[in-house]
Amino acid sequence: ALVASDGSVNLDTGILAKRLAVWARLSRPARLASYQASMRSAALAESQEHPFIFDSAWDVVRVVDYLASRDDVSKEQDTPVVGLMGVSLGGMITQLVAAGDVRIKAAAPMISMQCFGLQRAWKMWAPRVRTLQVPFRAVVEAQGGGVQGQDADAEIENANAFRKLRIDLNDELFDKLGIRDQIEGAREDFIREDDRFMRELGVDEAVCKTVYKRMNPHLLDGTLDGPCLM
């Protein structure tokens, strides 16, 4: 983490701290480029950073440490009364911090549900590949290419058939979870479009697993999914 327990920024922790030290002076495009560089280096195992969710969650914990040291923060039995709210990625961070830090008394994650275990189980990698293209592209380039052409078409069809088979195996449970509504009907065309986009990048399931393993260890085992956390 970059935030010390007294709320200050620790500038002696290497590349992470150096990046944060100049963050406030960067334009928004430059900040995005810095974040993308961090994701790329993590996906290629060139650093120990975990820029997607984990590092940010840990820094929030250190901010709570700082709040605990202040006299003007309400406390119960010397524990600060803190609430968190986040939207989208901020919501994912909110869920992680609220699950891991008992000092968080209330959490309001919005538009934040991301079930990474289900993503793996249902071969629904493509939406996240679309939003986080940089690390996936980096691994494809490092491996010297990826799935293309007829192989891509075959993978798309196999993934679609796999999802339909899983639905047929347990209709009642999947109906309760709303999975059928997310996969069948009009959604099928959107899923195929996302799958094709992913394959056109050269990304296959093996690339996805590599990126997650390096950038966010344990994220795919399901224990950090929203439903499990909350």
Side-chain angles (χ1 to χ4, degrees):
L2 304 179
V3 182
S5 59
D6 63 357
S8 64
V9 176
N10 185 350
L11 298 181
D12 298 320
T13 56
I15 187 172
L16 286 174
K18 291 178 182 178
R19 183 176 292 121
L20 185 61
V22 300
W23 190 265
R25 299 195 297 271
L26 298 176
S27 64
R28 182 168 181 172
R31 291 181 183 181
L32 177 60
S34 176
Y35 182 56
Q36 290 176 335
S38 176
M39 287 195 292
R40 178 182 176 85
S41 63
L44 294 176
E46 296 174 349
S47 74
Q48 294 184 338
E49 297 175 80
H50 304 298
F52 181 60
I53 306 179
F54 286 2
D55 285 348
S56 297
W58 180 247
D59 280 335
V60 171
V61 171
R62 298 309 297 272
V63 169
V64 177
D65 289 344
Y66 168 62
L67 293 175
S69 71
R70 294 180 60 95
D71 295 331
D72 57 351
V73 174
S74 297
K75 297 182 176 66
E76 293 179 353
Q77 297 181 343
D78 295 326
T79 300
V81 179
V82 179
L84 291 180
M85 181 179 72
V87 180
S88 191
L89 176 59
M92 296 184 202
I93 295 168
T94 295
Q95 292 182 44
L96 280 176
V97 177
D101 193 326
V102 297
R103 297 173 297 181
I104 306 302
K105 303 301 183 183
M110 296 181 287
I111 321 176
S112 61
M113 194 59 69
Q114 171 71 63
C115 300
F116 292 96
L118 287 176
Q119 175 179 283
R120 177 192 61 187
W122 287 89
K123 299 186 184 297
M124 297 283 285
W125 309 97
R128 187 54 64 199
V129 173
R130 185 183 284 273
T131 57
L132 297 176
Q133 296 179 36
V134 170
F136 295 100
R137 284 180 184 270
V139 172
V140 169
E141 293 169 359
Q143 294 180 350
V147 59
Q148 298 290 341
Q150 293 182 345
D151 289 339
D153 292 335
E155 283 205 2
I156 292 171
E157 292 304 322
N158 288 339
N160 187 57
F162 174 83
R163 287 188 288 266
K164 288 187 175 182
L165 177 61
R166 287 211 63 175
I167 286 179
D168 291 340
L169 292 177
N170 197 335
D171 290 349
E172 182 178 358
L173 173 60
F174 298 149
D175 285 342
K176 288 181 179 179
L177 293 175
I179 291 177
R180 181 184 297 280
D181 294 335
Q182 295 299 313
I183 293 178
E184 291 190 330
R187 289 284 300 171
E188 289 185 54
D189 290 337
F190 290 107
I191 293 172
R192 283 178 177 273
E193 181 182 341
D194 278 343
D195 276 348
R196 186 162 299 282
F197 175 85
M198 170 178 141
R199 266 65 181 197
E200 287 176 353
L201 290 181
V203 177
D204 58 13
E205 189 168 340
V207 169
C208 292
K209 290 180 178 179
T210 296
V211 169
Y212 278 114
K213 181 178 180 179
R214 293 174 178 173
M215 193 164 68
N216 290 76
H218 309 299
L219 200 60
L220 291 181
D221 65 10
T223 58
L224 295 178
D225 280 351
C228 295
L229 289 174
M230 301 304 290

